[in-house]
Amino acid sequence: EPEVTQTPSHQVTQMGQEVILRCVPISNHLYFYWYRQILGQKVEFLVSFYNNEISEKSEIFDDQFSVERPDGSNFTLKIRSTKLEDSAMYFCASGRQGQETQYFGPGTRLLVL
Amino acid sequence: AQKVTQAQTEISVVEKEDVTLDCVYETRDTTYYLFWYKQPPSGELVFLIRRNSFDEQNEISGRYSWNFQKSTSSFNFTITASQVVDSAVYFCALRRYGGATNKLIFGTGTLLAVQP
């Protein structure tokens, strides 16, 4: 059964450094999402992406964040200058259509020191 | 505004007990989707069920069942004869039907601990 995959599974970085989180959505899916979960808290929406552009973003998704689909398979989240409060689990999700179920990847646990 | 409330922060049961996880939602939309996801200790989010607001039929899948009551804005999840492998955090989520947004609004989750 097709799955969303994410790399790396864990990343430790220094405050102020740039990080890129990578995702490979399910192959025939057209809608892509990033969510984050601060330890012990609920899952929060960051951004949705369709047809090579952002379709919606939350207040969390400020100028420090960007997303890209550099090729036909990868979907990336970049944080330009990480802050301590960016430490969280970041989930990528994809859906075949906008109204379809979103399937989540296993997450990347980001720790900013 | 849309909101999902899972008032039960933690539930502990002994194996083979039945357990119900509560989910109450708020939305002004007349049509919407509701979801349950499971987050085991390994951390991934596993999709369990999607329910359309215009389909109030309850659903059963093995030991899992879901009770959707539009009149009380609730979408509760029952595990029958719980097992240790059911131990996880369970999230209820809401999404608009149609329109420009597809984002999921999650509740705060319920940690279920099933003791052997």
Side-chain angles (χ1 to χ4, degrees), chain A residues 48-112:
Chain A
S48 59
F49 191 86
Y50 169 69
N51 201 24
N52 282 319
E53 60 182 28
I54 291 173
S55 47
E56 186 180 9
K57 58 183 181 180
S58 71
E59 295 170 351
I60 303 167
F61 195 88
D62 62 22
D63 292 343
Q64 293 299 314
F65 292 88
S66 63
V67 289
E68 193 178 30
R69 188 155 162 82
D71 53 43
S73 59
N74 290 283
F75 178 51
T76 61
L77 174 69
K78 183 193 288 187
I79 310 176
R80 287 190 185 81
S81 178
T82 49
K83 305 178 189 132
L84 296 176
E85 54 264 36
D86 293 328
S87 295
M89 178 80 99
Y90 288 82
F91 290 104
C92 173
S94 70
R96 192 174 50 184
Q97 297 291 338
Q99 294 297 301
E100 297 278 324
T101 297
Q102 294 172 28
Y103 293 91
F104 285 77
T108 294
R109 191 172 295 282
L110 176 66
L111 178 61
V112 182

Coordinates of all heavy atoms in Angstrom, one line a residue, chain A residues 48-112:
Chain A
S48 N -1.0 24.4 2.8 CA -1.4 23.4 1.8 C -0.9 23.9 0.4 O -0.7 25.1 0.2 CB -2.9 23.3 1.8 OG -3.6 24.5 1.5
F49 N -0.7 22.9 -0.5 CA 0.0 23.2 -1.7 C -0.7 22.4 -2.8 O -0.9 21.2 -2.7 CB 1.4 22.8 -1.5 CG 2.4 23.2 -2.6 CD1 3.0 24.4 -2.6 CD2 2.7 22.3 -3.7 CE1 3.9 24.8 -3.6 CE2 3.6 22.7 -4.7 CZ 4.2 23.9 -4.6
Y50 N -1.1 23.1 -3.9 CA -1.7 22.4 -5.0 C -1.3 23.1 -6.3 O -1.3 24.4 -6.3 CB -3.2 22.5 -4.8 CG -4.0 22.1 -6.0 CD1 -4.0 20.7 -6.5 CD2 -4.8 23.0 -6.8 CE1 -4.7 20.4 -7.6 CE2 -5.5 22.6 -7.9 CZ -5.4 21.3 -8.3 OH -6.1 20.9 -9.4
N51 N -1.1 22.4 -7.3 CA -0.8 23.0 -8.6 C 0.4 23.9 -8.6 O 0.4 25.0 -9.1 CB -2.1 23.7 -9.2 CG -2.0 23.8 -10.7 OD1 -1.4 23.1 -11.4 ND2 -2.7 24.8 -11.2
N52 N 1.4 23.5 -7.8 CA 2.7 24.2 -7.7 C 2.5 25.6 -7.0 O 3.4 26.5 -7.3 CB 3.3 24.4 -9.1 CG 4.0 23.1 -9.5 OD1 4.6 22.5 -8.7 ND2 3.9 22.8 -10.8
E53 N 1.5 25.8 -6.2 CA 1.5 27.0 -5.5 C 0.8 26.8 -4.1 O 0.0 25.8 -4.0 CB 0.8 28.1 -6.2 CG -0.6 27.8 -6.6 CD -1.2 29.0 -7.4 OE1 -0.5 29.7 -8.1 OE2 -2.5 29.2 -7.4
I54 N 1.0 27.7 -3.2 CA 0.4 27.6 -1.9 C -1.1 27.9 -2.0 O -1.4 29.0 -2.6 CB 1.1 28.5 -0.9 CG1 2.5 28.0 -0.6 CG2 0.3 28.7 0.4 CD1 3.3 29.0 0.3
S55 N -2.0 27.1 -1.5 CA -3.4 27.3 -1.6 C -3.9 27.9 -0.3 O -4.9 28.6 -0.3 CB -4.2 26.1 -2.0 OG -3.8 25.0 -1.2
E56 N -3.2 27.6 0.8 CA -3.6 28.2 2.1 C -2.5 28.1 3.0 O -1.7 27.1 3.0 CB -4.8 27.4 2.6 CG -5.4 28.0 3.9 CD -6.6 27.2 4.4 OE1 -6.9 26.1 3.9 OE2 -7.2 27.7 5.4
K57 N -2.3 29.0 3.9 CA -1.3 28.9 5.0 C -1.9 29.5 6.3 O -2.8 30.3 6.3 CB -0.1 29.7 4.6 CG -0.2 31.1 4.3 CD 1.1 31.7 3.8 CE 0.9 33.2 3.5 NZ 2.2 33.9 3.1
S58 N -1.3 29.0 7.4 CA -1.8 29.5 8.7 C -0.9 30.6 9.1 O 0.1 31.0 8.5 CB -1.7 28.3 9.7 OG -0.3 28.0 10.0
E59 N -1.3 31.2 10.3 CA -0.5 32.3 10.9 C 0.9 31.9 11.3 O 1.8 32.7 11.3 CB -1.2 32.8 12.1 CG -2.6 33.5 11.8 CD -3.4 33.7 13.0 OE1 -3.0 33.3 14.1 OE2 -4.5 34.4 12.9
I60 N 1.0 30.6 11.6 CA 2.3 30.1 11.9 C 3.3 30.1 10.8 O 4.5 30.4 10.9 CB 2.2 28.6 12.4 CG1 1.2 28.4 13.5 CG2 3.6 28.0 12.8 CD1 0.8 27.0 13.8
F61 N 2.8 30.0 9.6 CA 3.6 29.9 8.4 C 4.0 31.3 8.0 O 3.5 31.9 7.0 CB 2.8 29.2 7.3 CG 3.7 28.7 6.1 CD1 4.3 27.5 6.1 CD2 3.9 29.6 5.0 CE1 5.1 27.1 5.0 CE2 4.6 29.1 3.9 CZ 5.2 27.9 3.9
D62 N 5.1 31.8 8.7 CA 5.5 33.2 8.3 C 6.6 33.2 7.3 O 6.9 32.2 6.7 CB 5.9 33.9 9.6 CG 7.1 33.2 10.3 OD1 7.8 32.5 9.7 OD2 7.2 33.4 11.6
D63 N 7.3 34.3 7.2 CA 8.3 34.4 6.1 C 9.5 33.5 6.3 O 10.3 33.4 5.4 CB 8.8 35.9 6.1 CG 7.7 36.8 5.6 OD1 6.7 36.3 5.0 OD2 7.8 38.0 5.8
Q64 N 9.6 32.9 7.5 CA 10.8 32.0 7.7 C 10.5 30.6 7.1 O 11.4 29.8 7.0 CB 10.9 31.8 9.2 CG 11.4 33.0 10.0 CD 12.8 33.5 9.5 OE1 13.7 32.7 9.3 NE2 12.9 34.8 9.2
F65 N 9.3 30.4 6.7 CA 8.9 29.1 6.1 C 8.7 29.2 4.6 O 8.2 30.2 4.1 CB 7.6 28.6 6.7 CG 7.7 28.2 8.2 CD1 7.5 29.1 9.2 CD2 8.0 26.9 8.6 CE1 7.6 28.8 10.5 CE2 8.0 26.5 9.9 CZ 7.8 27.4 10.9
S66 N 9.1 28.2 3.9 CA 8.7 28.1 2.5 C 8.5 26.6 2.1 O 9.0 25.7 2.8 CB 9.8 28.8 1.6 OG 11.0 28.1 1.8
V67 N 7.8 26.4 1.1 CA 7.6 25.1 0.6 C 7.9 25.0 -0.9 O 7.8 26.1 -1.6 CB 6.1 24.5 0.8 CG1 5.9 24.3 2.3 CG2 5.1 25.5 0.3
E68 N 8.2 23.8 -1.4 CA 8.6 23.7 -2.8 C 8.4 22.3 -3.2 O 8.4 21.3 -2.4 CB 10.1 24.0 -2.9 CG 10.6 24.2 -4.3 CD 12.1 24.6 -4.3 OE1 12.8 24.1 -3.5 OE2 12.5 25.3 -5.3
R69 N 8.0 22.2 -4.5 CA 8.0 20.8 -5.1 C 9.0 20.8 -6.2 O 8.7 21.1 -7.3 CB 6.6 20.6 -5.6 CG 6.3 19.1 -6.0 CD 4.9 18.8 -6.0 NE 4.5 17.6 -6.7 CZ 4.7 16.4 -6.3 NH1 5.2 16.1 -5.2 NH2 4.3 15.3 -7.1
P70 N 10.2 20.5 -5.8 CA 11.3 20.7 -6.8 C 11.3 19.7 -8.0 O 11.9 20.1 -9.0 CB 12.6 20.5 -5.9 CG 12.1 19.6 -4.8 CD 10.7 20.0 -4.5
D71 N 10.6 18.6 -7.8 CA 10.5 17.7 -8.9 C 9.2 17.0 -8.8 O 8.3 17.4 -8.1 CB 11.7 16.7 -8.9 CG 11.8 16.0 -7.6 OD1 10.8 15.6 -7.0 OD2 12.9 15.9 -7.1
G72 N 9.0 15.9 -9.6 CA 7.7 15.3 -9.6 C 7.4 14.5 -8.4 O 6.2 14.0 -8.3
S73 N 8.3 14.3 -7.5 CA 8.1 13.4 -6.4 C 8.2 14.0 -5.0 O 7.5 13.7 -4.1 CB 8.9 12.1 -6.5 OG 10.3 12.5 -6.5
N74 N 9.2 15.0 -4.9 CA 9.4 15.5 -3.5 C 8.6 16.7 -3.2 O 8.2 17.5 -4.1 CB 10.9 15.9 -3.5 CG 11.8 14.6 -3.4 OD1 11.9 14.0 -2.4 ND2 12.4 14.3 -4.6
F75 N 8.4 16.9 -1.9 CA 7.7 18.1 -1.4 C 8.5 18.5 -0.2 O 8.6 17.7 0.7 CB 6.3 17.8 -1.1 CG 5.5 18.9 -0.6 CD1 5.4 20.2 -1.2 CD2 4.7 18.7 0.6 CE1 4.6 21.2 -0.7 CE2 3.9 19.7 1.1 CZ 3.9 21.0 0.5
T76 N 9.0 19.8 -0.2 CA 9.9 20.1 0.9 C 9.4 21.3 1.7 O 8.7 22.2 1.2 CB 11.3 20.5 0.4 OG1 11.2 21.6 -0.5 CG2 12.0 19.4 -0.4
L77 N 9.8 21.3 3.0 CA 9.5 22.5 3.9 C 10.8 23.0 4.3 O 11.7 22.3 4.9 CB 8.7 22.0 5.1 CG 8.4 23.1 6.2 CD1 7.5 24.2 5.7 CD2 7.9 22.4 7.4
K78 N 11.1 24.3 4.1 CA 12.3 24.9 4.5 C 12.0 25.9 5.6 O 11.1 26.7 5.5 CB 13.0 25.7 3.3 CG 14.3 26.3 3.7 CD 14.8 27.3 2.6 CE 15.2 26.6 1.4 NZ 15.8 27.5 0.4
I79 N 12.8 25.9 6.6 CA 12.8 26.9 7.7 C 14.1 27.6 7.6 O 15.2 27.0 7.8 CB 12.6 26.3 9.1 CG1 11.4 25.3 9.1 CG2 12.4 27.4 10.1 CD1 11.2 24.6 10.4
R80 N 14.1 28.9 7.3 CA 15.3 29.6 6.9 C 16.2 29.9 8.1 O 17.4 29.7 8.0 CB 14.9 31.0 6.3 CG 14.4 30.9 4.9 CD 14.3 32.2 4.2 NE 13.6 32.1 3.0 CZ 12.3 32.0 2.8 NH1 11.5 32.1 3.8 NH2 11.8 31.8 1.6
S81 N 15.7 30.3 9.2 CA 16.5 30.6 10.4 C 15.7 30.1 11.6 O 14.8 30.8 12.1 CB 16.7 32.1 10.5 OG 17.4 32.5 11.6
T82 N 16.1 28.9 12.0 CA 15.3 28.2 13.0 C 15.4 28.9 14.4 O 16.4 29.5 14.8 CB 15.8 26.8 13.2 OG1 17.2 26.7 13.3 CG2 15.4 25.9 12.0
K83 N 14.3 28.8 15.1 CA 14.2 29.3 16.4 C 13.9 28.1 17.4 O 13.5 27.1 17.0 CB 13.0 30.3 16.5 CG 13.0 31.4 15.6 CD 11.8 32.3 15.7 CE 11.8 33.3 14.5 NZ 10.5 33.4 13.9
L84 N 14.1 28.4 18.7 CA 13.9 27.3 19.7 C 12.5 26.8 19.6 O 12.2 25.6 19.7 CB 14.2 27.9 21.1 CG 15.6 28.3 21.4 CD1 15.7 28.8 22.8 CD2 16.6 27.1 21.2
E85 N 11.5 27.7 19.3 CA 10.1 27.4 19.3 C 9.7 26.6 18.1 O 8.5 26.2 17.9 CB 9.2 28.6 19.5 CG 9.5 29.7 18.5 CD 10.4 30.8 19.1 OE1 11.4 30.4 19.8 OE2 10.2 32.0 18.8
D86 N 10.6 26.4 17.1 CA 10.3 25.6 16.0 C 10.5 24.1 16.3 O 10.2 23.3 15.4 CB 11.2 26.0 14.8 CG 11.0 27.4 14.2 OD1 9.8 27.8 14.3 OD2 11.9 28.0 13.8
S87 N 11.0 23.8 17.4 CA 11.2 22.4 17.8 C 9.8 21.7 17.9 O 8.9 22.2 18.6 CB 11.9 22.3 19.2 OG 13.2 22.8 19.1
A88 N 9.6 20.7 17.1 CA 8.3 20.1 17.0 C 8.5 18.8 16.1 O 9.5 18.6 15.5 CB 7.3 21.0 16.4
M89 N 7.4 18.1 16.0 CA 7.3 17.0 15.0 C 6.6 17.7 13.8 O 5.5 18.3 13.9 CB 6.4 15.9 15.5 CG 6.3 14.8 14.5 SD 7.7 13.7 14.4 CE 7.1 12.3 15.5
Y90 N 7.2 17.5 12.6 CA 6.6 18.0 11.4 C 6.1 16.9 10.5 O 6.8 16.0 10.2 CB 7.6 18.8 10.6 CG 7.9 20.2 11.3 CD1 8.8 20.2 12.4 CD2 7.3 21.3 10.9 CE1 9.1 21.4 13.0 CE2 7.6 22.5 11.5 CZ 8.5 22.6 12.6 OH 8.7 23.7 13.2
F91 N 4.8 17.0 10.2 CA 4.1 15.9 9.4 C 3.8 16.5 8.0 O 3.3 17.6 7.9 CB 2.8 15.5 10.1 CG 2.9 14.7 11.3 CD1 2.7 15.4 12.5 CD2 3.3 13.4 11.3 CE1 2.8 14.7 13.7 CE2 3.4 12.7 12.5 CZ 3.2 13.3 13.7
C92 N 4.1 15.7 7.1 CA 3.7 15.9 5.7 C 2.4 15.0 5.5 O 2.3 13.9 6.0 CB 4.8 15.5 4.7 SG 4.4 15.5 3.0
A93 N 1.5 15.5 4.7 CA 0.3 14.7 4.3 C 0.0 15.0 2.8 O 0.4 16.0 2.3 CB -0.9 15.1 5.2
S94 N -0.7 14.0 2.3 CA -1.1 14.2 0.9 C -2.5 13.6 0.7 O -3.0 12.8 1.5 CB -0.1 13.6 -0.1 OG -0.2 12.2 -0.1
G95 N -3.2 14.2 -0.3 CA -4.6 13.7 -0.6 C -4.7 13.7 -2.1 O -4.2 14.5 -2.8
R96 N -5.5 12.8 -2.6 CA -5.7 12.6 -4.1 C -6.5 13.9 -4.6 O -6.1 14.4 -5.7 CB -6.5 11.4 -4.4 CG -6.5 11.0 -5.8 CD -7.1 9.6 -6.0 NE -8.4 9.6 -5.3 CZ -9.1 8.5 -5.3 NH1 -8.7 7.3 -5.8 NH2 -10.3 8.5 -4.6
Q97 N -7.5 14.3 -3.9 CA -8.2 15.5 -4.3 C -8.3 16.3 -3.0 O -8.1 15.8 -1.9 CB -9.6 15.1 -4.8 CG -9.7 14.3 -6.0 CD -9.2 15.1 -7.2 OE1 -9.2 16.3 -7.3 NE2 -8.7 14.4 -8.3
G98 N -8.8 17.6 -3.2 CA -8.9 18.4 -2.0 C -9.8 17.9 -1.0 O -9.6 18.1 0.2
Q99 N -10.9 17.3 -1.4 CA -11.9 16.8 -0.4 C -11.6 15.4 0.1 O -12.3 14.8 0.9 CB -13.3 16.8 -1.1 CG -13.7 18.2 -1.4 CD -13.9 19.0 -0.2 OE1 -14.7 18.7 0.7 NE2 -13.1 20.1 -0.1
E100 N -10.6 14.8 -0.4 CA -10.2 13.4 0.0 C -9.5 13.4 1.3 O -9.0 14.4 1.8 CB -9.4 12.8 -1.1 CG -10.1 12.6 -2.5 CD -10.9 11.4 -2.5 OE1 -10.6 10.4 -1.9 OE2 -12.0 11.5 -3.2
T101 N -9.4 12.2 1.9 CA -8.7 12.0 3.1 C -7.2 12.4 2.9 O -6.6 12.1 1.9 CB -8.8 10.5 3.5 OG1 -10.2 10.3 3.8 CG2 -8.0 10.2 4.8
Q102 N -6.7 13.0 4.0 CA -5.3 13.3 4.0 C -4.5 12.1 4.7 O -4.9 11.8 5.8 CB -5.0 14.6 4.7 CG -5.6 15.8 3.9 CD -5.5 17.1 4.7 OE1 -4.7 17.3 5.5 NE2 -6.4 18.0 4.4
Y103 N -3.5 11.6 4.0 CA -2.7 10.6 4.6 C -1.4 11.2 5.0 O -0.7 11.9 4.3 CB -2.5 9.4 3.6 CG -3.8 8.7 3.3 CD1 -4.6 9.1 2.3 CD2 -4.2 7.6 4.1 CE1 -5.8 8.5 2.0 CE2 -5.4 7.0 3.8 CZ -6.2 7.4 2.8 OH -7.4 6.8 2.6
F104 N -1.0 10.8 6.3 CA 0.2 11.4 6.9 C 1.4 10.6 6.8 O 1.3 9.3 6.8 CB -0.1 11.7 8.4 CG -1.0 12.9 8.6 CD1 -2.4 12.8 8.4 CD2 -0.5 14.1 9.0 CE1 -3.2 13.9 8.6 CE2 -1.3 15.2 9.2 CZ -2.7 15.1 9.0
G105 N 2.6 11.2 6.7 CA 3.8 10.5 6.8 C 4.2 10.3 8.2 O 3.5 10.7 9.1
P106 N 5.3 9.6 8.5 CA 5.7 9.3 9.8 C 6.2 10.4 10.7 O 6.4 10.3 11.9 CB 6.8 8.2 9.6 CG 7.4 8.6 8.3 CD 6.2 9.1 7.5
G107 N 6.5 11.6 10.0 CA 7.0 12.8 10.7 C 8.5 12.9 10.8 O 9.2 11.9 10.6
T108 N 8.9 14.2 10.9 CA 10.3 14.5 11.2 C 10.3 15.2 12.5 O 9.7 16.2 12.7 CB 10.9 15.4 10.1 OG1 11.0 14.7 8.9 CG2 12.3 15.8 10.6
R109 N 11.1 14.7 13.5 CA 11.2 15.3 14.8 C 12.4 16.3 14.7 O 13.5 15.9 14.6 CB 11.4 14.3 15.9 CG 11.3 14.9 17.3 CD 11.3 13.8 18.3 NE 10.2 12.9 18.3 CZ 8.9 13.2 18.7 NH1 8.7 14.4 19.3 NH2 8.0 12.3 18.7
L110 N 12.1 17.6 14.8 CA 13.1 18.6 14.7 C 13.3 19.2 16.1 O 12.4 19.6 16.8 CB 12.6 19.8 13.8 CG 13.5 21.0 13.7 CD1 14.8 20.6 13.0 CD2 12.8 22.1 12.9
L111 N 14.6 19.2 16.5 CA 15.0 19.8 17.7 C 16.0 21.0 17.4 O 17.0 20.8 16.8 CB 15.7 18.8 18.6 CG 16.2 19.2 20.0 CD1 15.1 19.8 20.8 CD2 17.0 18.1 20.7
V112 N 15.6 22.1 17.9 CA 16.5 23.3 17.7 C 17.1 23.7 19.1 O 16.4 23.9 20.1 CB 15.6 24.5 17.2 CG1 16.5 25.7 17.0 CG2 14.9 24.2 15.9

